[in-house]
Amino acid sequence: MKPSCMCRLSASLLLSVVLVSVCAPTVCAETYTNPVINHNAPDPTVIRAKDGTYWLYSTESIPNLPIYKSDNLVDWDFVGTAFTDETRPQMVPGGKIWAPDIQWVGKKYVLYYSKSQWGKEWECGIGVATADAPEGPFTDHGKLFLSNEIGVQNSIDPIYVEAEGKHWLFWCSFRGIYAIELSSDGLSVKSGAEPVMVAGTFTEATNIFRHRGYYYLVGSAGSCCEGEKSTYRVVVARSKKVIGPYVDKNGVPAIENGFSLLLEGDDTVKGPGHNANFVKDDAGQYWMLYHGYDASAPQEGRKVYLDRVEWDADGWPSVGEGKPSKSAEMPIIKGRGK
């Protein structure tokens, strides 16, 4: 994807009674266009490696969970899969690998994943794998739990969070959002830990992000997977404590399905949602990758879009005009001359 150029001129100056337009040299800001991955790669999760590269993993649109790499959050190259036919997780035989979450825990890349089949909400579950490098190879450690073992229906969509001196897993899809404490290596449920419900049945695809004293629970509501008819959208609530209580902008508890809108679709992009954890560029700007249907070609699946996250005066996140951008200024990455 070749970046284009957005040019800006200085404002006019008023000198005495005469209005004089003074034009400074143009400043050329590179731009990108959405989508940044122009094929089916739903439910992205992203991490920045120590060398500054970004790595993205998605629900398997090809077998064994695809991995992409980028130097700038815009241009993504397919580099392989997290598993092979031989190393593929065996939990939930016949199930697909959905909605991964990539994290750095201890000295390992830790990949949480869902294994599920449509409609089998008590047979699905969450597993975990590790690797020494973001491209793998990943070693599967098997299941953390299945729905029928943990007592939580539709146990998919994991997200790992280190907060308040503990290690947490948040998960579940439209059956409540739950949290449970994990062991210090993140590879098992802590002995004696029990699920805690932190949000109602309105959302799935949870992400937890801490910013200026608040934890933000970002999730997706609506129908994810119906092409141009999808109603998926990104919503948010926040709390001073990692397991709540979370509330929306009007103070309605998330446990009662109180969430505020962050991003929704338009005539160009349908059903945007299931965002990755927010990541930073080298200027400290936050970015959100998420999937959506290109309204002109919904049959091509859920593509990956990128937008910058800003923060309003009350500390709530916002994304542009609340719609996916068609074009925007590039992230600022060292070595790109910006």
Side-chain angles (χ1 to χ4, degrees):
M1 178 180 297
K2 294 182 179 179
S4 56
C5 186
M6 179 182 294
C7 292
R8 297 168 294 186
L9 299 177
S10 64
S12 297
L13 300 178
L14 182 62
L15 299 178
S16 302
V17 187
V18 182
L19 185 65
V20 180
S21 291
V22 179
C23 188
T26 54
V27 178
C28 184
E30 285 186 307
T31 64
Y32 69 93
T33 57
N34 269 317
V36 294
I37 297 181
N38 197 27
H39 59 259
N40 191 37
D43 309 331
T45 180
V46 179
I47 194 169
R48 194 174 194 187
K50 291 183 178 180
D51 66 358
T53 56
Y54 296 91
W55 297 78
L56 182 149
Y57 310 70
S58 76
T59 283
E60 54 177 355
S61 53
I62 61 171
N64 300 320
L65 203 146
I67 303 174
Y68 301 83
K69 179 183 178 181
S70 176
D71 293 323
N72 60 10
L73 288 172
V74 170
D75 301 300
W76 293 93
D77 295 318
F78 173 74
V79 296
T81 59
F83 305 105
T84 66
D85 290 345
E86 291 73 28
T87 64
R88 181 181 179 83
Q90 297 303 303
M91 179 186 78
V92 187
K96 294 291 185 71
I97 306 173
W98 293 350
D101 173 49
I102 186 68
Q103 301 284 345
W104 178 256
V105 184
K107 296 182 179 180
K108 294 280 188 179
Y109 289 93
V110 180
L111 185 72
Y112 299 92
Y113 60 85
S114 314
K115 195 93 184 292
S116 184
Q117 290 179 284
W118 279 106
K120 295 187 176 182
E121 294 188 359
W122 285 108
E123 290 78 27
C124 60
I126 292 170
V128 61
T130 59
D132 294 323
E135 67 270 28
F138 280 86
T139 299
D140 184 42
H141 296 273
K143 66 180 179 180
L144 289 175
F145 49 78
L146 299 177
S147 291
N148 55 19
E149 296 172 345
I150 200 75
V152 175
Q153 186 178 356
N154 212 15
S155 284
I156 61 173
D157 293 358
I159 175 72
Y160 171 88
V161 180
E162 290 184 18
E164 299 167 359
K166 296 181 179 180
H167 306 260
W168 299 93
L169 188 82
F170 289 75
W171 83 99
C172 201
S173 168
F174 298 125
R175 301 292 183 262
I177 302 300
Y178 290 82
I180 197 165
E181 193 174 349
L182 299 182
S183 58
S184 60
D185 61 7
L187 301 183
S188 63
V189 174
K190 185 176 181 179
S191 179
E194 296 289 339
V196 177
M197 190 174 183
V198 298
T201 57
F202 187 60
T203 66
E204 63 171 3
T206 299
N207 261 288
I208 305 290
F209 184 83
R210 192 167 191 267
H211 183 72
R212 294 184 179 177
Y214 282 98
Y215 293 94
Y216 292 84
L217 194 163
V218 182
S220 295
S223 60
C224 70
C225 311
E226 297 180 296
E228 66 272 22
K229 297 181 180 179
S230 292
T231 61
Y232 225 34
R233 57 201 182 276
V234 181
V235 295
V236 60
R238 73 182 182 184
S239 169
K240 287 286 190 179
K241 298 290 185 180
V242 69
I243 58 170
Y246 287 89
V247 298
D248 69 7
K249 292 180 180 180
N250 297 316
V252 179
I255 202 79
E256 299 174 10
N257 294 330
F259 283 88
S260 298
L261 182 65
L262 179 57
L263 179 76
E264 63 183 344
D266 57 15
D267 291 340
T268 302
V269 182
K270 302 296 183 181
H274 206 123
N275 61 282
N277 37 319
F278 297 171
V279 291
K280 281 186 177 181
D281 67 11
D282 290 331
Q285 300 177 118
Y286 292 99
W287 296 86
M288 184 175 79
L289 291 122
Y290 56 94
H291 74 230
Y293 287 96
D294 180 345
S296 67
Q299 74 279 1
E300 295 179 356
R302 291 170 287 171
K303 301 177 179 181
V304 178
Y305 294 77
L306 174 71
D307 272 301
R308 187 155 62 95
V309 178
E310 300 183 273
W311 303 88
D312 69 17
D314 295 320
W316 288 91
S318 63
V319 176
E321 300 298 320
K323 312 280 186 179
S325 67
K326 297 178 178 64
S327 179
E329 289 191 24
M330 291 278 292
I332 297 173
I333 306 296
K334 291 178 180 178
R336 288 187 52 83
K338 292 195 69 179

